[in-house]
Amino acid sequence: MRSRAIAGIAAAASVVAAALPAQAGTPPRKVVGIYDNYYLPDELKVKPDTVVVWKWPNDAGDVHDVKLKDKPKGVKRFWSDPASVGYKFKRKLTVPGKYHIVCTLHEDMVMDITVRKPRR
Ligand SMILES: [Cu+2]
């Protein structure tokens, strides 16, 4: 009896969750293209918790990588593998502030991402 009541509560809770806007389950997502030798776009402003996906081209190109060089305090650095084709690298950016991304193989290949402060 008791366990049935708990199951009922769980079912009701999942209905409520389903009715909420996408926010809960699907974080916003931005795609950055990787080209020879630039990121496109090379400047992004995103909401906190946006997943940024760097997408390499499907046809052969030069080798590039994605390295987080400057970052807000407390954020862990990240550095993708070097790749030339058909590769993806993604990171969820949570902490507001400025993220400076570089390709370690091409010193002019840089981009900036600003994560906005959360709205209240
Ligand atoms: Cu590069």
Side-chain angles (χ1 to χ4, degrees):
M1 194 63 196
R2 197 189 148 94
S3 68
R4 186 176 293 184
I6 289 167
I9 289 165
S14 69
V15 168
V16 170
L20 287 171
Q23 199 182 4
T26 334
R29 179 176 276 256
K30 292 280 179 191
V31 176
V32 176
I34 292 196
Y35 299 93
D36 296 337
N37 300 322
Y38 57 96
Y39 301 106
L40 191 71
D42 63 0
E43 235 183 289
L44 267 183
K45 281 196 174 120
V46 302
K47 293 179 192 160
D49 295 330
T50 297
V51 174
V52 179
V53 183
W54 286 269
K55 202 169 177 284
W56 276 252
N58 290 321
D59 47 349
D62 211 343
V63 175
H64 304 286
D65 62 10
V66 171
K67 185 180 188 180
L68 177 60
K69 201 176 172 202
D70 301 314
K71 58 188 184 56
K73 233 185 214 169
V75 172
K76 261 197 197 162
R77 281 183 202 285
F78 54 74
W79 190 0
S80 77
D81 288 329
S84 60
V85 261
Y87 186 64
K88 265 185 205 169
F89 179 76
K90 62 180 177 185
R91 280 294 179 274
K92 190 185 205 176
L93 304 183
T94 303
V95 180
K98 205 169 177 190
Y99 295 70
H100 184 62
I101 308 285
V102 302
C103 170
T104 64
L105 296 109
H106 305 101
E107 65 172 323
D108 292 338
M109 189 169 168
V110 296
M111 74 171 294
D112 288 302
I113 304 170
T114 304
V115 175
R116 293 193 182 98
K117 293 201 172 112
R119 233 194 269 159
R120 330 194 126 236

